[in-house]
Amino acid sequence: MELERLAIRARLRSPWESIDLGIALARQHWWPLFIVWLLPASVVFACSFWLLHDSPSWALLLVWWLKPVYDRLPLFIASRALFGERVSVSGALKQFFSLNRRDWFAWLTWRRLSATRSYDMPVTLLEQTSGSARAARIGVLHRKHSNAATWLTLTGFHLEFFLFLALLAFMYLLIPEQVQIDWLPMLTNNALWLEWASNVLYLLVMAAVAPFYVVSGFCLYIGRRIELEAWDIEIQFRSLRDRHLRAQKDRQKRAAHATTAASLLLLCVLSISTLLPAEDASAEAALTPEQSRETIDQVLAGEDFHQQEEVSGWRLKELDMDSEIPEWLIDFVQWLENRQLASDKEREVDWAAHIGLLAELLLWAAFIGLVAYLLLRHREQILQSLRWQRKKPETRLRPETLFGLDVRQSSLPDDVCAEVLRLWRSGDKRGGLGLLYRATLAHLIESYQFEFGDHLTESECAQLVRQRQAHPQPEAQRPVSAALCELVQQLTVAWQQLAYAHRAPQLAQVETLCNQWQEAFGNED
């Protein structure tokens, strides 16, 4: 997998950020996704019209039931677009039968009503796993993001239904008031053409919504794989490796150029040396024996062969081994030897007692040392079992990121409001309002000890601030003022509208929020 070609930034995202990314990707490639979904569905719709002409409801149910068959083509195009590869509509249609060859029966029977269809489909289509391997993979993926995939399915179903009703109402509004048409008799008198027309309208609605549903589930799957397989770290390592290889190739090229230059220089020197006149290399005539002897005598008469050096030191005196040892000395040595043997026999019992005592002392010392070693090695377990160890105060871990935003105090500029207004006026509205929002979260975590986590949404964080303002606990936590609570509520709504609905507030509202933020947190900086 060529992660360097990834068209998106590989980073950890919340499930709702992944779905939002899928919607943006589907908007970018909506037209080919819409066409490749609609064409196979239209073929099935035409066949059902021919076979079930008198049963339009059953025909629509058949088209709706075969949705997993049509979803594979948009998923195929989105998977290639994610890595910078563009697939044409005709190229995708040529892959229709090959893409639907794997597990088609399962997806049209017991998996058809799965609430996580868009989340699970990439495992079958892209990883091409089945059986126990697929079950194990699905089990790993569903440990997270399965709830978001279920809500995505429910949202897509309701969106189709409401769009269908909206189109019906829009078409009804286009009928002139002068034309008086009684719709109820047409519905009650088996007006097949009206039912087939509504089926065509619903088919178009399904084709329009399907790209967003399929691509959002695919991006949810990609976000889970980034988290499991650490794609962001792997990309960094690959870039470091490529940089090292490029530097190594540059060094090899420089070394090759230097070697070539040295070879050329050596060749030039050799060429010049061959052109110079050669010296007279004729050897002198050989010396006669008399001349050689005179030369040797001159060398031996030199100072190198007539140096004298005095060395002093101690050495052993050479003894005369032929001299005899006196008899009295031999008798004295024998007397000492006999006396030593007699004393050893008298004290033989005492030495045995001393050896036994020494062995006992060594055994006791080894036992005491072993007990001390065991007590020292397992002191933590012993103290914990006897409950002598004091409980360490629990340290609260402060989060570094929330909703994909860096909420560390060290990441904030010195003047937050000035930087927010500068980013906003330069055109980076998301960056400016995002800086103000994450600065608010950072101060709430640092100064007011709020325990925000990734399991909370922006609205839930604002709800926690409102609860503390309504029910203050001065002894345990720092109270929240009404002005600060109002700032958090307004800023949360503005951020949600910009981040998810892409509706930016007015500059005057941003300036008001900055003034309120300065009043709430300006004295703490």
Side-chain angles (χ1 to χ4, degrees), residues 386-492:
L386 297 177
R387 296 183 180 178
W388 289 353
Q389 188 178 12
R390 296 180 179 178
K391 295 183 178 179
K392 297 180 180 179
E394 297 181 356
T395 58
R396 184 173 60 88
L397 297 177
R398 296 172 180 173
E400 295 184 355
T401 58
L402 286 175
F403 324 116
L405 302 176
D406 191 351
V407 294
R408 296 174 300 172
Q409 287 279 1
S410 59
S411 66
L412 301 178
D414 295 335
D415 193 345
V416 174
C417 294
E419 183 66 16
V420 169
L421 295 176
R422 187 190 69 80
L423 291 174
W424 190 274
R425 292 190 177 99
S426 65
D428 189 5
K429 297 182 179 181
R430 185 184 182 92
L433 192 60
L435 173 60
L436 186 63
Y437 183 63
R438 65 187 181 90
T440 303
L441 293 177
H443 281 77
L444 290 175
I445 295 172
E446 180 72 23
S447 303
Y448 290 83
Q449 289 78 41
F450 277 95
E451 297 182 358
F452 298 143
D454 290 336
H455 62 284
L456 299 177
T457 62
E458 294 93 334
S459 300
E460 290 174 341
C461 293
Q463 182 66 25
L464 291 177
V465 176
R466 186 186 298 110
Q467 289 178 359
R468 184 181 294 188
Q469 191 270 332
H471 306 285
Q473 298 178 2
E475 297 181 357
Q477 297 171 335
R478 183 176 176 180
V480 174
S481 63
L484 177 57
C485 181
E486 184 65 22
L487 168 65
V488 173
Q489 309 306 318
Q490 294 180 5
L491 182 57
T492 300

Side-chain angles (χ1 to χ4, degrees), residues 32 58 71 153 167 188 196 204 248 259 266 269 293 313 345 387 410 432 447 467 503 510 525:
W58 288 103
D71 290 345
T153 302
L167 287 177
T188 56
W196 281 107
L204 294 176
Q248 187 176 5
T259 304
L266 180 60
V269 170
R293 189 177 298 109
K345 291 182 180 179
R387 296 183 180 178
S410 59
S447 303
Q467 289 178 359
R503 294 200 299 267
V510 176
D525 294 336

Side-chain angles (χ1 to χ4, degrees), residues 54-121:
D54 296 332
S55 301
S57 299
W58 288 103
L60 181 62
L61 178 62
L62 177 62
V63 174
W64 177 84
W65 190 266
L66 294 178
K67 267 188 175 184
V69 176
Y70 325 135
D71 290 345
R72 299 197 181 195
L73 292 180
L75 178 57
F76 174 73
I77 294 179
S79 64
R80 296 302 185 270
L82 191 66
F83 290 91
E85 179 182 352
R86 300 188 66 88
V87 180
S88 62
V89 174
S90 59
L93 291 175
K94 292 178 182 179
Q95 303 291 330
F96 178 78
F97 292 103
S98 61
L99 293 175
N100 284 281
R101 187 178 296 114
R102 181 180 294 274
D103 282 355
W104 63 271
F105 183 76
W107 281 104
L108 295 180
T109 52
W110 63 85
R111 295 182 194 163
R112 175 58 186 88
L113 299 179
S114 173
T116 58
R117 187 177 80 248
S118 62
Y119 186 42
D120 301 339
M121 183 71 76

Side-chain angles (χ1 to χ4, degrees), residues 347-362:
R347 291 179 298 190
E348 184 176 359
V349 179
D350 295 337
W351 275 110
H354 290 315
I355 291 174
L357 180 60
L358 180 61
E360 183 179 0
L361 290 176
L362 291 176

